[in-house]
Amino acid sequence: MRAKTAVPETSARVRGILALIVVIVLLAAGAGVGLVVGDALGIRAQPAERMGGESRAVETVTASVPPPRITVLGYGETERMRVAVDELDAALSGVETAGSATLTIAMGGPLAGEIDDDTYVLTGTPDALRIETSGEAGAARGIYDIASAIRQGKDITAGIGMPVTSRLPFRMVDLGAVGVAADPAEWLPGTDYSHASKAFADVFLAEAPYIDEEALAAAYDDYDGYLRRVIADGYNAISFPGFVEFVTFDEVDGVYADGDAHVDKALALREAFGPFWDRAEELGMKVFLRTDMLTLTSPLEDYLTDRLGALDTTSPELWDVYTAGLDELYAAEPALDGVLIRIGEAGRVYDVEGWDYYSALAVTTPEAVRAMLTALTGQAEESGREVIFRTWSVGVGAVGDMHTNAASYEAVLGGIDSPALIVSTKYTLGDFYSWLPLNDTLQQGEQRRIVEFQSRREFENNGAFPNDLGAEYAWALQELLASNEHIEGIWAWAQDGGPWRAGPMILYDKAGFWQLADLNSQLAVQLARDPDADPAEITAGWAREWFSDDPATVQAIAEAMALSRTAIEQGLYIPPFAEQRVSAIGLEPPPMMWIFEWDILTGDSAVLDVIYTISRDRLDEAVQGGDVASEAVARMRTLIEGTDPSTWRDPGLREAFLGSLDYEQDTLDLLGSYRAMILHQAAWHDTLSADSYAAWQTARDAYTTQAAAHLAAYEGDVDHPAFNLTAAELGVERGDRDLAMAWIARVLLVLTATWVLIGILSARTRLVRRPGAMAARATWVSSTRPWRAGESTLGMLRADHILLVLVPGALLVATRAVQTSFLSWVHLAVTLGAWAVFVALLLVLFRGRWGWAVLATIGGVVVLRCALVLAALSFSGPGGYWFAFWTDPVRRSLYIAVAFALFVWLFVAVGWALAARIGARRATGAVLAAIGAGLAVPAAVIAMVGLERALTAWNDQMGLLPWGLSRILGITVYLDIPSSTAWVAAGIGAVISALGLGLLFIGRRVPGRRDAVPSSG
């Protein structure tokens, strides 16, 4: 008898050892996957050195000094000088004058022979003033400065004898809100996150003649008024959107066919906007066409693709097409001074519906950037123009982070030293957020440099709140100029940046309380001219220009504005997080994040859990920042409300100021309650403390009350729109279910453990005779010793068969449902669909007892995998599950190691079970066929639905990544997931399935064993 059993015992022992080795290998591989996932997430933080500059108000506001009535002599009657004199007359008309004086313009004198910059000297006596300068630039600047001094109540004779020169000669501004219709209906929904301004939308016609002349005339008047204002402020260049729209490519054979409407449109647009550019030149302003690269039309893209095989941005031949377009355009429109190029953002948020002009994110490598700049600067040098290249770029690699990484900047731009090239970079080490360090890439490079500023700060509620950036601007410029002699200018965005119609309807000189943002435009340009100027004095001058001539009122406004940064920095940011430089997924998330972005209060676990983890050692400070901000706004409101209404130049502006502060107070109170809720909720997941849970519930109640009040007060108010709370509400809904899901997980875990225990005991005791015990035994034996799967299902009754399928199947559905808090049908459909396809194909291939063997094996591994998930969910529900995933590398790695091992073990076990019947080759083929089908079918369905649409629905229901991703750039764009990914996955699945079927059916078959007969049960 022993001789007869020795071989089977030895064989069983060998199989057991082999199984153990396989499990160890799978666990090791799973650990490797965990490390790879952790590295891919790359969640790290290090302290960041924020910018200096302390906001303060002027100590004392003095009374205005009445100017004399001024007569200007000798200015030559050119249009540029006439407009400057008009500004002076307008300034005098708004104030009381004392006496009279002449102002003589002397272009020559001590400055004869100097270049025609805006340097001048004011000489003479109080009643006989004289501007001495080398040319019109200085003469006009002198007149504008006198007009500004009058508006701000300053003594216009204070500077007699002192030369005035601008430290930075290049001072560019955007197009403002020129050509943009102030239509409240477009702002009312609050969900249009398009970055397209729709400027001149009413000018463009879909059909010939393509231009509405009446609308064009109104737009020109709008433009002329804007030019006058910004020139008076001190700007001397303007960025004008467009490029490919104005080009016919008539020198490139084959781009546009004969009769193509793009040609007629380009000519019509040039005819329409040429006078705009001529007007800027006439008034002394440079004009740069602002465009993305690549900028395309459908025929242009087809031409480039046909010619080069793809949009190969490293090819000089591709850039020859664009330089030919520039040659054509400069010849036709000599007033144009160059192009301003961005490569870092593109896509649907910038496209205008109905227009076949669009951009593509295609210049993504250093080689492509260098090829582009080599071609474009060569063209610029030959044509006497300039190329402004923005380092703003979003992505991975040298080009992706050249905006914030000194080494990447050098890798991309090192050695490119064309005199026609100007490199433009934001002054912040990132986007226009607070708390960021100074952008140190502005302190390097041999290229000419300009510094970018944003007046209507898009991430700080689009200029709806008081936000005096003067101290920060002054500190930044002083630091940069001390370290880089190549900085020669600024570019201030008076209006642009971010979505145009999601947020307050604030349009420069048109709608909303736009004067708040105008302060930062004035600060930027005045500090560019004199970086040592006192920002507090500039703010006081702004207050006097716009609101009141009363010293007490101006003082109150100045003091309120000095508090504005405290309210912004504490109220819109969580300081313990904001002062860290965080990296994740190869990117640097901004210091705000919990508002992602603009007005979207995010509710996703990835962001909120990481914010808590970085802030938890200073949790009280993080929570209390909301109170600090609210108190600052309350003090600001007290100051403004305490002013005498009769001293305000325009009572409506006083009401607008108070309305802005009321809106800010309500919004910051809302944010304060939300930050308390999310931080205490994460603390509960972290500590499982009853006190943290109670604090979370209290904060949750406060937030829901505040949110309802906020929506009731501001929903539908285009000047003070309610924040977008959709994502936050989804987060609250998920959070409310966490404790219940944890209890359900605990109950299911107990039932799962009971089922497994029954299976273990049934293998060695009489318990196997009990109803259902044989099914439990079969799942345990098949999942741990799959070579015995066939024998484990022998003699099973119908009830056992039912339980064999029902228990693992129901447990899988329940576990996935609990994991998603019963909120994500997309997750359930995809995961359960993949399981269903995998199992169904195996059952089609194998019926009878071997079908039950397959089901027992799959069911057993499913039970073990569900036990792992339920254990992770049992602490504090799905919220705690994801908290550990995002923030705890050890727990994440352990979980992934075991989960991965069990996942792969499923396929190994099924193959092992089948190998006893049909041989290893055919068993491998069967498993591969089922895996391929399980991948191909769901992937194909997702591809047909649309990958972005599917990911959006899944993420909305799961709340893992910011809800705003899909509403802004799109999840696929942001994470750099090719749109073809789902189809590729489906194709790979089909190939795997075909390979598996080939292994299964092609070649010599292994005869089945005699004992492999269907069960009679």
Side-chain angles (χ1 to χ4, degrees), residues 154-440:
K154 298 177 181 178
D155 181 1
I156 65 171
T157 65
I160 289 179
M162 299 175 60
V164 177
T165 189
S166 296
R167 174 67 175 80
L168 298 179
F170 184 93
R171 302 178 297 276
M172 185 165 65
V173 69
D174 66 4
L175 192 61
V178 172
V180 179
D183 181 1
E186 293 192 358
W187 272 260
L188 190 58
T191 56
D192 181 1
Y193 291 97
S194 169
H195 288 33
S197 69
K198 300 182 183 178
F200 310 114
D202 57 346
V203 173
F204 304 141
L205 299 176
E207 305 295 337
Y210 303 114
I211 298 296
D212 183 315
E213 293 296 336
E214 184 176 345
L216 179 67
Y220 183 86
D221 291 342
D222 189 10
Y223 173 77
D224 186 62
Y226 177 73
L227 281 185
R228 288 169 179 259
R229 181 179 295 281
V230 295
I231 290 172
D233 284 342
Y235 291 99
N236 57 14
I238 189 168
S239 62
F240 198 100
F243 160 55
V244 75
E245 299 91 331
F246 307 120
V247 180
T248 67
F249 292 104
D250 58 359
E251 297 299 319
V252 183
D253 186 31
V255 173
Y256 294 133
D258 292 342
D260 192 315
H262 289 85
V263 174
D264 293 336
K265 285 182 182 178
L267 294 174
L269 290 173
R270 282 209 307 242
E271 180 73 18
F273 291 105
F276 285 64
W277 308 328
D278 292 339
R279 179 59 170 171
E281 182 184 45
E282 188 175 43
L283 298 183
M285 291 278 278
K286 288 187 172 184
V287 180
F288 290 85
L289 291 181
R290 179 180 175 182
T291 182
D292 284 326
M293 279 294 176
L294 289 177
T295 179
L296 298 161
T297 64
S298 295
L300 176 58
E301 182 173 7
D302 291 342
Y303 172 84
L304 294 173
T305 302
D306 292 344
R307 186 80 172 268
L308 304 175
L311 292 177
D312 180 6
T313 53
T314 65
S315 169
E317 194 174 352
L318 179 142
W319 296 112
D320 287 344
V321 175
Y322 286 95
T323 56
L326 288 170
D327 285 335
E328 168 202 332
L329 191 54
Y330 292 153
E333 301 295 340
L336 294 174
D337 294 278
V339 290
L340 167 63
I341 295 169
R342 176 182 67 178
I343 64 169
E345 291 184 47
R348 64 186 184 189
V349 294
Y350 301 101
D351 297 340
V352 178
E353 186 177 355
W355 278 77
D356 184 36
Y357 303 99
Y358 54 95
S359 58
L361 196 64
V363 185
T364 57
T365 65
E367 294 75 19
V369 174
R370 298 176 78 87
M372 176 185 73
L373 292 180
T374 298
L376 298 186
T377 56
Q379 188 279 336
E381 290 178 31
E382 292 179 2
S383 61
R385 300 316 201 276
E386 292 171 314
V387 175
I388 302 176
F389 173 66
R390 297 189 61 203
T391 61
W392 179 247
S393 188
V394 180
V396 179
V399 172
D401 69 352
M402 66 178 168
H403 181 70
T404 58
N405 186 304
S408 296
Y409 180 96
E410 184 63 25
V412 175
L413 293 172
I416 301 179
D417 56 0
S418 168
L421 175 63
I422 302 172
V423 179
S424 178
T425 302
K426 295 179 182 181
Y427 80 104
T428 46
L429 198 68
D431 215 334
F432 289 118
Y433 293 95
S434 299
W435 291 94
L436 288 173
L438 183 68
N439 196 334
D440 56 1

Side-chain angles (χ1 to χ4, degrees), residues 673-795:
S673 63
Y674 187 69
R675 82 165 68 192
M677 181 188 74
I678 60 175
L679 291 172
H680 287 307
Q681 180 183 14
W684 173 57
H685 291 312
D686 183 25
T687 65
L688 302 179
S689 160
D691 290 341
S692 294
Y693 186 85
W696 164 37
Q697 291 296 292
T698 300
R700 178 206 175 281
D701 293 342
Y703 167 72
T704 54
T705 299
Q706 188 68 39
H710 178 77
L711 293 175
Y714 293 109
E715 205 164 33
D717 184 343
V718 297
D719 293 319
H720 310 110
F723 264 47
N724 187 331
L725 305 183
T726 303
E729 290 167 355
L730 291 172
V732 170
E733 183 180 13
R734 286 186 293 269
D736 284 345
R737 299 187 179 200
D738 272 338
L739 187 57
M741 294 303 106
W743 276 108
I744 295 173
R746 293 165 193 170
V747 172
L748 289 173
L749 184 59
V750 170
L751 294 175
T752 303
T754 301
W755 178 260
V756 173
L757 183 61
I758 290 172
I760 294 172
L761 294 177
S762 296
R764 299 180 180 276
T765 68
R766 295 179 181 179
L767 185 63
V768 73
R769 299 174 183 175
R770 301 281 183 176
M774 183 171 282
R777 175 184 178 276
T779 57
W780 170 252
V781 171
S782 299
S783 63
T784 57
R785 286 155 286 174
W787 55 89
R788 294 181 56 190
E791 69 180 67
S792 71
T793 59
L794 285 172

Side-chain angles (χ1 to χ4, degrees), residues 511-526:
F513 194 20
W514 60 272
Q515 287 85 355
L516 288 176
D518 182 60
L519 167 61
N520 292 324
S521 292
Q522 291 195 30
L523 283 161
V525 72
Q526 292 190 47

